[in-house]
Coordinates of all heavy atoms in Angstrom, one line a residue:
E12 N 12.4 -8.6 -6.2 CA 12.2 -7.7 -5.0 C 11.8 -8.5 -3.8 O 12.2 -8.2 -2.7 CB 11.1 -6.7 -5.4 CG 10.8 -5.7 -4.3 CD 9.7 -4.7 -4.7 OE1 9.2 -4.7 -5.8 OE2 9.5 -3.8 -3.9
K13 N 11.0 -9.5 -4.0 CA 10.5 -10.4 -2.9 C 11.7 -11.1 -2.3 O 11.9 -11.2 -1.1 CB 9.5 -11.3 -3.4 CG 8.8 -12.1 -2.3 CD 7.7 -12.9 -2.8 CE 7.1 -13.8 -1.7 NZ 6.0 -14.6 -2.1
G15 N 14.9 -10.2 -2.5 CA 15.7 -9.3 -1.8 C 15.2 -8.9 -0.4 O 15.9 -8.8 0.6
G16 N 13.9 -8.9 -0.3 CA 13.2 -8.7 1.0 C 13.5 -9.8 2.0 O 13.7 -9.6 3.2
K17 N 13.4 -11.0 1.5 CA 13.7 -12.2 2.3 C 15.2 -12.1 2.8 O 15.4 -12.4 4.0 CB 13.5 -13.5 1.6 CG 12.0 -13.8 1.4 CD 11.9 -15.2 0.7 CE 10.4 -15.5 0.5 NZ 9.9 -16.5 1.4
I18 N 16.1 -11.7 2.0 CA 17.5 -11.6 2.4 C 17.6 -10.5 3.4 O 18.3 -10.7 4.4 CB 18.4 -11.4 1.1 CG1 18.4 -12.6 0.2 CG2 19.8 -11.0 1.5 CD1 19.0 -12.4 -1.1
K19 N 17.0 -9.4 3.1 CA 17.1 -8.3 4.0 C 16.5 -8.6 5.4 O 17.1 -8.3 6.4 CB 16.4 -7.0 3.5 CG 16.7 -5.7 4.2 CD 15.9 -4.6 3.6 CE 16.4 -4.1 2.2 NZ 15.7 -2.9 1.8
E20 N 15.4 -9.3 5.4 CA 14.8 -9.7 6.6 C 15.7 -10.7 7.4 O 15.9 -10.5 8.6 CB 13.4 -10.5 6.3 CG 12.8 -11.0 7.6 CD 11.6 -11.9 7.3 OE1 11.3 -12.1 6.1 OE2 11.0 -12.4 8.3
G23 N 18.5 -8.8 8.9 CA 18.0 -8.0 10.0 C 17.9 -8.9 11.3 O 18.3 -8.5 12.4
N28 N 18.9 -6.1 13.8 CA 18.5 -4.8 13.3 C 17.0 -4.9 12.9 O 16.6 -5.4 11.9 CB 19.3 -4.5 12.0 CG 19.1 -3.1 11.5 OD1 18.0 -2.5 11.6 ND2 20.1 -2.6 10.8
E29 N 16.2 -4.4 13.8 CA 14.7 -4.5 13.6 C 14.3 -3.7 12.4 O 13.3 -4.1 11.7 CB 14.0 -4.0 14.9 CG 14.2 -5.0 16.0 CD 13.5 -4.5 17.3 OE1 12.8 -3.5 17.3 OE2 13.6 -5.2 18.3
K30 N 14.9 -2.5 12.1 CA 14.5 -1.7 11.0 C 14.8 -2.5 9.7 O 13.9 -2.5 8.8 CB 15.2 -0.4 11.0 CG 14.8 0.5 9.8 CD 15.5 1.8 9.8 CE 15.1 2.8 8.7 NZ 14.7 2.2 7.4
M31 N 15.9 -3.1 9.6 CA 16.2 -3.9 8.4 C 15.3 -5.0 8.2 O 14.8 -5.3 7.1 CB 17.7 -4.4 8.4 CG 18.1 -5.1 7.1 SD 19.7 -5.8 7.2 CE 20.7 -4.3 7.1
E32 N 14.9 -5.7 9.3 CA 14.0 -6.8 9.2 C 12.6 -6.3 8.8 O 12.0 -6.9 7.9 CB 13.9 -7.4 10.6 CG 13.0 -8.7 10.7 CD 13.0 -9.3 12.0 OE1 13.8 -9.0 12.9 OE2 12.2 -10.2 12.2
A33 N 12.2 -5.2 9.3 CA 10.9 -4.6 8.9 C 10.9 -4.2 7.4 O 9.9 -4.4 6.7 CB 10.5 -3.4 9.8
D34 N 12.0 -3.6 7.0 CA 12.2 -3.2 5.6 C 12.1 -4.5 4.7 O 11.5 -4.4 3.6 CB 13.5 -2.5 5.3 CG 13.5 -1.1 5.8 OD1 12.4 -0.5 6.1 OD2 14.6 -0.5 6.0
G35 N 12.6 -5.6 5.1 CA 12.6 -6.8 4.4 C 11.1 -7.3 4.2 O 10.7 -7.7 3.2
H36 N 10.4 -7.2 5.3 CA 8.9 -7.6 5.3 C 8.2 -6.7 4.3 O 7.4 -7.1 3.5 CB 8.3 -7.4 6.6 CG 8.5 -8.6 7.6 ND1 8.0 -9.8 7.4 CD2 9.3 -8.6 8.7 CE1 8.4 -10.6 8.4 NE2 9.2 -9.9 9.1
K37 N 8.5 -5.4 4.3 CA 7.9 -4.4 3.4 C 8.2 -4.7 2.0 O 7.3 -4.7 1.1 CB 8.3 -3.0 3.8 CG 7.7 -1.9 2.9 CD 8.3 -0.5 3.2 CE 9.7 -0.5 2.8 NZ 10.2 0.3 1.7
D38 N 9.4 -5.0 1.7 CA 9.8 -5.4 0.3 C 9.1 -6.6 -0.2 O 8.7 -6.7 -1.4 CB 11.3 -5.6 0.2 CG 12.1 -4.3 0.4 OD1 11.5 -3.2 0.4 OD2 13.4 -4.3 0.6
Q39 N 9.0 -7.6 0.7 CA 8.3 -8.8 0.3 C 6.8 -8.6 0.0 O 6.3 -9.1 -1.0 CB 8.4 -9.9 1.4 CG 9.8 -10.4 1.6 CD 9.9 -11.4 2.8 OE1 9.3 -12.4 2.7 NE2 10.6 -11.0 3.8
A40 N 6.2 -7.8 0.8 CA 4.8 -7.4 0.6 C 4.6 -6.7 -0.7 O 3.7 -6.9 -1.4 CB 4.2 -6.6 1.8
S41 N 5.5 -5.8 -0.9 CA 5.5 -5.0 -2.2 C 5.6 -5.9 -3.4 O 4.8 -5.7 -4.3 CB 6.6 -3.9 -2.2 OG 6.6 -3.2 -3.3

Side-chain angles (χ1 to χ4, degrees):
E12 183 175 5
K13 188 173 176 182
K17 285 184 184 250
I18 292 169
K19 193 182 287 187
E20 177 190 0
N28 185 333
E29 292 179 1
K30 183 181 180 329
M31 183 183 288
E32 187 177 346
D34 285 345
H36 280 288
K37 180 185 65 112
D38 291 348
Q39 290 176 66
S41 177

